[in-house]
Amino acid sequence: MERTYLMVKPDGVQRNLAGEIISRFEKKGFKIVGLKMLRISREMAEKHYGEHAGKPFFESLVGFITSGPVVAFVIEGKDAVSAARDMMGATNPLKAAPGTIRGAYGIDIGRNIIHGSDSLESAAREISLFFKEEELVEYSREV
Ligand code: CMP
């Protein structure tokens, strides 16, 4: 069982896509174990996107992710990291398969609707950056 960190970006929230996006992961069978709306500070954004520091798009990336509220959530399930990335589609929405989230809703690589951790290590780091331990819940879905 894996956990991964997902985040509806400010464009997704503004376009009223948060519910639709969360719903896709629920319907697929993943369990939501953490969920909140927040406004990301510049400091958090720089930590979250640290691996992109120095790249030409870094400033616009940080500017965009701090420009409005995001919906952060954590899912749990089999192969959550790679399965979620498959569901999101390619980073560039124009290259993403039509049935994927980015393929269905985006056209711009900077405003690509959703972020998802790219590895188990990133997932652990990003989950702990955005969620306190007590904000993550354990529950059974068999009731
Ligand atoms: P995300 O999955 O959030 O991780 C890093 C983000 O950087 C990525 O989605 C894109 O939104 C953004 N990104 C990657 N490449 C470019 C680029 N060439 N121009 C602008 N933004 C980019």
Side-chain angles (χ1 to χ4, degrees):
M1 225 39 114
E2 288 180 6
R3 283 183 174 182
T4 193
Y5 175 73
L6 298 168
M7 172 165 71
V8 182
K9 295 185 179 185
D11 56 333
V13 173
Q14 274 183 14
R15 293 175 56 202
N16 297 324
L17 292 170
E20 160 70 21
I21 290 169
I22 293 164
S23 179
R24 283 191 177 214
F25 291 96
E26 288 186 303
K27 287 175 187 160
K28 176 75 176 168
F30 287 108
K31 189 201 273 192
I32 296 175
V33 295
L35 175 67
K36 64 180 169 185
M37 180 178 259
L38 74 153
R39 183 88 186 236
I40 298 185
S41 66
R42 186 172 176 96
E43 189 189 355
M44 277 174 101
E46 286 176 352
K47 265 192 203 157
H48 174 63
Y49 281 131
E51 68 184 281
H52 300 291
K55 292 187 183 168
F57 57 85
F58 183 68
E59 272 309 312
S60 66
L61 181 59
V62 169
F64 170 59
I65 209 69
T66 56
S67 67
V70 300
V71 174
F73 59 113
V74 178
I75 60 165
E76 184 179 282
K78 224 179 274 176
D79 286 331
V81 173
S82 66
R85 287 182 69 84
D86 288 346
M87 289 172 67
M88 289 175 352
T91 303
N92 182 348
L94 286 178
K95 301 269 189 300
T100 63
I101 293 166
R102 288 167 174 160
Y105 303 121
I107 52 169
D108 183 335
I109 192 167
R111 294 168 191 268
N112 61 356
I113 321 253
I114 181 168
H115 167 84
S117 308
D118 63 5
S119 66
L120 263 182
E121 294 70 37
S122 303
R125 187 175 60 78
E126 292 170 2
I127 290 169
S128 64
L129 180 61
F130 290 101
F131 286 88
K132 296 184 188 125
E133 193 57 47
E134 62 268 26
E135 291 175 323
L136 298 170
V137 293
E138 306 258 350
Y139 62 99
S140 161
R141 287 188 302 183
E142 280 151 33
V143 284

